[in-house]
Amino acid sequence: MSRIRVWLGRAAVLFLVLGLFFGVGAYFLYFHRDPLPAAPPHARVAPSVSPLKGLAACWVETGSTFTGYPFAMTGSSILVKHPAGDLLIDTGNSMHFDDEIAAYPFLLRLKLKNLAGQLSPEVPLPELMRLVGGDPAKIRWVVLSHVHLDHAGGLMDLPRVPLLLTREELQFAFDPAMQAKGLVVPAHTQRFPPADAPTLKLDAHPYETFDESADLYGDGSAVVVPLRGHTPGSVGVFVNLDPHHRLFYVGDSVDEARGFEDRVSKSLLLRDTDNDAAQADAIVSKLNQLHQMVPELAIIPAHGRSAYLKFFPSGPLSCVTSDAPR
């Protein structure tokens, strides 16, 4: 009996040490953030936003984790319903995620499965789109914030649609080294334009605090700006429903609202996926600057579920409409 008590005591100590070890590891890998310097001063070019009849933005959540906690994560798309044809921003993971990463070495496969794979969908993207009144066959464009597998994978579940990507992002996507790291899945690039045929060009038209932009519809409802750093051609998308309902989808430029609110770096776990760490940190500071200038603008990180809930108070598979007269 005394021997059993000794072993139970040792086991309790071991579990305590392991718990402490994992707790410290989790803190430094995910919760610890480094403060960043302020962005250089930059003038703001405030847009004129007019309500547009029939315009709406819908939250299409394809996957989520830790939904009962403040650090909940989401894999999502935003469907912009527009009278001139709908826009889909990001597509989440593919329904065939496991098959698409099967050829990678075991350790890389394990890493992808336990990071990006945690946000894999259980319901195909087209079916989710229909639940908010979207029609996959009538998408005018898909724009990807960047080409990482958990943002581009849903393309495989959609009919072929026009995809908007910059030259820098296409070159990154077709780089064998990026594919070997599992950042880009080769199967996804079958849905991309050729590397020498970019479909998105940002011009020297200042918008908010950005020196380049592309007004997709020509009416100010959806404006793309550069967020280079996480990947060479990362972009953000402003969706302007009316003067009081504006969102700025920023992809993985920050991993949660704390990044742009407190001007702190991403977690160590996610900084590993930044292509250019210094440039990525500069973008975080720039987003903080914009947040201070326009606090009413809803900045939405791709995986920051709490930020989605602030703009979409009815939760996933809900829409916010323009205040234009019906």
Side-chain angles (χ1 to χ4, degrees):
M1 185 66 70
S2 61
R3 191 172 291 178
I4 292 175
R5 288 198 191 98
V6 170
W7 281 109
L8 287 175
R10 289 176 179 175
V13 171
L14 177 62
F15 281 118
L16 182 63
V17 170
L18 286 174
L20 183 62
F21 174 79
F22 284 114
V24 171
Y27 172 77
F28 281 103
L29 284 175
Y30 186 78
F31 294 102
H32 175 74
R33 310 296 170 102
D34 294 323
L36 297 174
H42 197 293
R44 179 191 175 211
V45 178
S48 176
V49 178
S50 300
L52 180 64
K53 184 178 179 180
L55 186 64
C58 305
W59 177 13
V60 184
E61 184 171 61
T62 55
S64 61
T65 58
F66 306 111
T67 53
Y69 298 90
F71 50 87
M73 297 183 70
T74 182
S76 294
S77 299
I78 292 179
L79 176 66
V80 181
K81 297 181 181 178
H82 193 286
D86 293 349
L87 170 71
L88 187 66
I89 306 171
D90 275 356
T91 64
N93 272 327
S94 166
M95 287 289 292
H96 313 284
F97 182 89
D98 289 346
D99 294 335
E100 291 169 355
I101 67 169
Y104 286 114
F106 172 76
L107 289 179
L108 178 55
R109 200 165 66 245
L110 186 66
K111 175 183 176 182
L112 295 174
K113 181 73 175 174
N114 285 283
L115 292 177
Q118 293 298 310
L119 298 172
S120 291
E122 296 181 359
V123 179
L125 180 56
E127 188 174 330
L128 293 172
M129 288 178 59
R130 293 186 186 99
L131 293 176
V132 295
D135 185 346
K138 295 183 179 179
I139 298 174
R140 180 168 178 177
W141 298 299
V142 172
V143 61
L144 298 181
S145 62
H146 61 295
V147 294
H148 283 171
L149 72 168
D150 56 328
H151 297 259
L155 288 170
M156 308 303 288
D157 303 320
L158 292 170
R160 286 194 175 271
V161 292
L163 177 63
L164 303 181
L165 287 170
T166 64
R167 183 179 298 278
E168 301 103 311
E169 196 67 1
L170 284 168
Q171 291 173 343
F172 175 82
F174 286 100
D175 183 344
M178 297 302 106
Q179 296 184 12
K181 290 180 179 179
L183 296 174
V184 182
V185 171
H188 298 171
T189 63
Q190 297 170 14
R191 297 296 184 96
F192 294 177
D196 58 353
T199 49
L200 177 62
K201 185 176 184 299
L202 303 175
D203 297 316
H205 297 303
Y207 185 88
E208 289 288 1
T209 57
F210 298 90
D211 297 325
E212 302 168 84
S213 67
D215 186 342
L216 296 184
Y217 291 96
D219 58 11
S221 60
V223 179
V224 181
V225 297
L227 294 176
R228 304 177 184 100
H230 182 59
T231 64
S234 283
V235 297
V237 186
F238 287 89
V239 178
N240 303 305
L241 302 177
D242 57 57
H244 307 291
H245 296 95
R246 301 181 64 219
L247 70 84
F248 183 26
Y249 181 83
V250 298
D252 285 355
S253 295
V254 290
D255 49 357
E256 59 180 1
R258 181 184 170 193
F260 65 82
E261 290 173 347
D262 297 342
R263 204 177 71 230
V264 293
S265 68
K266 295 178 189 174
S267 66
L268 185 62
L269 191 65
L270 296 177
R271 284 166 65 184
D272 180 58
T273 64
D274 285 339
N275 183 70
D276 184 323
Q279 200 171 28
D281 284 347
I283 287 295
V284 176
S285 297
K286 191 173 184 68
L287 293 177
N288 169 262
Q289 180 184 66
L290 178 63
H291 174 62
Q292 292 180 333
M293 289 181 173
V294 196
E296 66 275 16
L297 174 67
I299 298 178
I300 301 182
H303 301 300
R305 201 169 192 269
S306 61
Y308 282 88
L309 287 167
K310 287 181 181 179
F311 191 81
F312 298 97
S314 297
L317 300 178
S318 67
C319 301
V320 176
T321 61
S322 168
D323 282 341
R326 302 294 186 266

